[in-house]
Structure formats: structure tokens, C-alpha cells
Amino acid sequence: MKLIITDMEKMAEGFRKNLGIKEDNFLDPLKIKIKEIEVITLDELKQINEKEKSYLLNDVSKQWSAMSVPLDETFKKWVIVRNHNNNKERQSVSILEEYWHILLEHQLTKIIKFGKFYGRSFESDEEHDAYYLASATLLPQKNIKNFVNQSNNNIEALAMKFGVSTELIEYRIKRLGLWSVYKSKFLFDKTRISLIKD
Ligand SMILES: [Zn+2]
């Protein structure tokens, strides 16, 4: 199922509101507690051996960030295994993405291969929705709109404030249809565009 952007923005806002996090405040996904969903690091996973752990954490570490594993047949209980070798910014968005997959009852239908391992993932529409929702949960649209409308935007400062990567902010700007507005500001930058003096 593909959700529409206005609905996803509302869902992300509702999620933050439920947690009591103000629009301007940083949200740490590791502080969120959801009933019947546990988040653990790969090191804490007992089902695989040290050699396999090392392979997942070193050899193919860049290929995965977090994965959801159902713990019962009714898909009520879940564990999210996170790759603690990846940076915090990437893990934050990945944990939230997994939360949204589970909360929206996305089905693990696609078989994926990373390195020598096989796993299951979600359909691509659901991947897009969950990623969108995760980014919107971390970065409320009001903040993105305000940022784009500022005359001197400091993307690094905004990324720091919300604990995300600058790429995630750019993704939000693009998906909210504000990319041209954001980029067009350089047109008024006299250090970049000016007339050659005679
Ligand atoms: Zn996903």
C-alpha cells in the first residue's frame, strides 16, 4: 500500500504528540518504548555465533542497519536488531523505520541477500512509506519549511539539533516539494553570481 504524503505527515505528527515531544525538540528513537517490540543490538542477539556476528558487523556492515524479526506466529511480538556499528544518525532513522513497518503491519514478503546471508524485507512501496514516516517523525515538516525559508540556512546545525544526517534533511526538503525553493536562494548570492566589471 502506498500512503499519501499529507496522511504520513499527520501520522508522524501524531506519533510525536503521543510521546509528548514538541515540534522543535530532538527525538531519540532509542528512548521510545513500544509494547511487544524490543530493540537490541546485534551483540545482544543470542541466536547467532561470534563468527556470524563479526561478518555482519564488519564485512557487510554498510549493507544493513536494522531488521525486524517476528517472535511469534501471530506477528504480535517483535525484536528489532540494530547494527550498532553504524553511526547514530543512520541507526535513528532505521529504528523508526522498523517501528513504522511493524505498527502498520507490513508483511515480510521479499527475500533479500546481504553478503552470504538471506533475510526477509518488505515490498518497495512499504519501504518508501516506512522511510518517509521515519524521517518525518525525526524532522517535523514545520521545521523543514522554516529552514527552507531562512535566508542563511545552516544545514549542519539543523542536522545536529535533530540528530540526523544532512542527507536526511535534503531528503525531507525534496519530498516536501521544496527543493527548487531551497536551491534558488543561491541565485541571489552575489559572491556566486555577478557581472564582470569593465
Ligand atoms: Zn524498511
Side-chain angles (χ1 to χ4, degrees):
M1 192 180 56
K2 191 130 184 71
L3 294 166
I4 58 168
I5 279 178
T6 46
D7 285 341
M8 290 194 281
E9 292 296 337
K10 273 189 209 138
M11 288 158 78
E13 271 166 36
F15 188 89
R16 286 177 67 95
K17 220 176 225 167
N18 263 341
L19 295 171
I21 303 276
K22 292 201 183 83
E23 261 178 337
D24 286 331
N25 288 357
F26 158 71
L27 165 66
D28 181 359
L30 284 174
K31 294 261 168 71
I32 301 169
K33 224 178 107 183
I34 300 181
K35 212 175 157 188
E36 304 199 286
I37 306 175
E38 195 191 350
V39 180
I40 62 169
T41 63
L42 188 75
D43 267 350
E44 292 169 308
L45 188 67
K46 291 180 189 79
Q47 285 80 354
I48 62 171
N49 65 40
E50 288 309 314
K51 214 178 135 196
E52 289 166 334
K53 273 180 194 171
S54 159
Y55 179 76
L56 286 167
L57 287 173
N58 301 303
D59 302 58
V60 291
S61 189
K62 285 205 170 74
Q63 291 177 42
W64 74 284
S65 190
M67 48 189 154
S68 297
V69 184
L71 294 178
D72 63 356
E73 280 168 19
T74 58
F75 298 96
K76 276 208 146 165
K77 278 190 171 166
W78 292 80
V79 62
I80 296 170
V81 184
R82 66 181 175 96
N83 182 350
H84 51 284
N85 262 11
N86 281 345
N87 65 44
K88 213 174 173 329
E89 291 78 15
R90 184 169 167 196
Q91 277 187 70
S92 287
V93 68
S94 296
I95 292 164
L96 272 174
E97 184 188 329
E98 296 307 310
Y99 272 149
W100 280 109
H101 277 308
I102 297 168
L103 292 170
L104 296 175
E105 299 182 4
H106 289 168
Q107 307 285 313
L108 285 162
T109 48
K110 239 169 76 183
I111 292 171
I112 48 153
K113 190 172 187 246
F114 48 102
K116 58 183 181 183
F117 278 90
Y118 284 95
R120 278 186 184 273
S121 90
F122 304 94
E123 293 300 326
S124 79
D125 274 356
E126 297 180 336
E127 287 299 348
H128 286 121
D129 286 353
Y131 188 78
Y132 188 99
L133 283 159
S135 67
T137 309
L138 289 169
L139 292 162
Q141 65 170 329
K142 199 188 104 190
N143 290 279
I144 299 295
K145 285 180 179 163
N146 288 345
F147 171 72
V148 167
N149 290 322
Q150 275 161 17
S151 52
N152 52 341
N153 0 54
N154 183 344
I155 196 163
E156 280 84 17
L158 189 71
M160 280 262 266
K161 184 180 172 191
F162 286 97
V164 298
S165 66
T166 54
E167 287 79 15
L168 197 74
I169 295 172
E170 291 185 344
Y171 165 84
R172 284 292 278 146
I173 296 171
K174 283 177 189 160
R175 294 299 310 271
L176 286 167
L178 298 167
W179 190 249
S180 301
V181 179
Y182 177 54
K183 283 292 160 189
S184 69
K185 253 178 256 161
F186 298 121
L187 294 172
F188 308 104
D189 181 354
K190 289 201 172 81
T191 63
R192 247 178 114 177
I193 302 169
S194 62
L195 276 176
I196 298 168
K197 289 198 179 89
D198 294 326

